Amino acid sequence: MKTQKFQSVFDIIGPVMIGPSSSHTAGAVRIGKVVYSIFGEIPDEVTFHLYNSFAKTYQGHGTDKALVAGIMGMDTDNPDIKNSLEIAHQRGIRIYWDILKDSNAPHPNTVKITVNKDDKNMSITGVSIGGGNIQVTELNGFSVSLSMNTPTLIIVHQDIPGMIARVTDILSEYEINIAQMNVTRESAGEKAIMIIEVDTRDCQDAVKKIEKISHLHNVNFFD
């Protein structure tokens, strides 16, 4: 019999959360908040493409409220999650649901989120794997593999020479080791995204210094 190893007690009991299910609620909030963090603002229009289990139970388990709460920047323990649909309506956010109950998505709790505001748009595919844990598998059409269970920096910046070196020099200055790094861009010279998993949660000072780099749109740190 194969046993499963857990890195911490939080892998078993899940995060502090509002809602009936860590997979359908806490995980969904976290996926939505990744979108909010990378996009950098609350979108005008969102389409949620829900697959399999998410598609079949999204209203009964509160997945719809959780996802909408996340794209507005709420955390998993925010009491306003239960009112997120009304709050989004009051803010004028247009929300669409694409329900795909029988698909070939590799995981039953899968959602692809596309967001738009003015001439900005972005897409992310995320999977809620249980206990509030998530994986990000696609970003703007690029295949990625992010667990978001390790300390992670998400940096949105202009695609100009030297940006990666500036960020990694600061991390080196603060003796922060990089475990994994993904870089993608819209096109040459346009917006780019740097996703860096690190070995320490003590990154606050480094993040403050990274924020001062020119041609940088936003920095978010998930610990």
Side-chain angles (χ1 to χ4, degrees):
M1 178 178 176
K2 185 178 180 180
T3 59
Q4 182 176 1
K5 294 182 179 180
F6 295 93
Q7 292 184 339
S8 78
V9 68
F10 296 104
D11 291 338
I12 304 171
I13 64 173
V16 176
M17 65 176 194
I18 303 294
S21 164
S22 60
S23 294
H24 288 73
T25 307
V29 172
R30 292 190 69 207
I31 294 170
K33 192 169 181 184
V34 170
V35 174
Y36 168 80
S37 298
I38 297 176
F39 197 61
E41 57 186 322
I42 296 175
D44 289 336
E45 182 178 295
V46 189
T47 301
F48 296 100
H49 309 268
L50 302 180
Y51 298 87
N52 299 332
S53 178
F54 265 5
K56 294 173 183 176
T57 63
Y58 73 102
Q59 291 176 315
H61 284 181
T63 307
D64 52 351
K65 296 176 182 178
L67 288 168
V68 172
I71 62 101
M72 291 190 293
M74 295 185 192
D75 291 318
T76 56
D77 60 350
N78 193 315
D80 281 335
I81 289 174
K82 63 182 181 296
N83 302 315
S84 64
L85 298 178
E86 292 82 0
I87 294 170
H89 177 72
Q90 291 167 4
R91 293 184 176 183
I93 304 171
R94 299 183 299 277
I95 298 173
Y96 304 95
W97 302 95
D98 181 21
I99 308 304
L100 303 161
K101 294 182 179 180
D102 299 301
S103 77
N104 59 356
H107 193 282
N109 297 330
T110 299
V111 57
K112 179 175 181 178
I113 305 174
T114 58
V115 292
N116 299 281
K117 185 178 179 68
D118 301 325
D119 59 348
K120 288 176 56 180
N121 57 78
M122 190 184 77
S123 73
I124 278 184
T125 300
V127 177
S128 180
I129 59 176
N133 297 314
I134 66 171
Q135 292 178 342
V136 176
T137 61
E138 174 266 335
L139 176 58
N140 284 347
F142 290 88
S143 177
V144 296
S145 179
L146 294 169
S147 67
M148 308 303 293
N149 290 331
T150 57
T152 302
L153 282 157
I154 298 180
I155 302 166
V156 182
H157 60 93
Q158 208 67 24
D159 178 42
I160 60 172
M163 286 298 290
I164 295 173
R166 293 175 200 173
V167 171
T168 56
D169 282 350
I170 291 172
L171 294 178
S172 177
E173 176 187 343
Y174 286 89
E175 298 185 342
I176 296 171
N177 191 50
I178 296 173
Q180 180 175 307
M181 184 173 184
N182 287 274
V183 181
T184 184
R185 65 183 185 182
E186 294 175 349
S187 59
E190 298 299 322
K191 185 179 291 185
I193 300 170
M194 216 181 298
I195 303 174
I196 308 172
E197 296 183 19
V198 296
D199 289 339
T200 177
R201 288 179 164 80
D202 186 17
C203 294
Q204 289 74 20
D205 292 338
V207 169
K208 289 179 182 177
K209 191 163 185 177
I210 290 170
E211 288 174 339
K212 297 177 182 178
I213 297 174
S214 59
H215 304 289
L216 189 146
H217 297 289
N218 60 71
V219 182
N220 285 274
F221 179 59
F222 294 82
D223 60 358

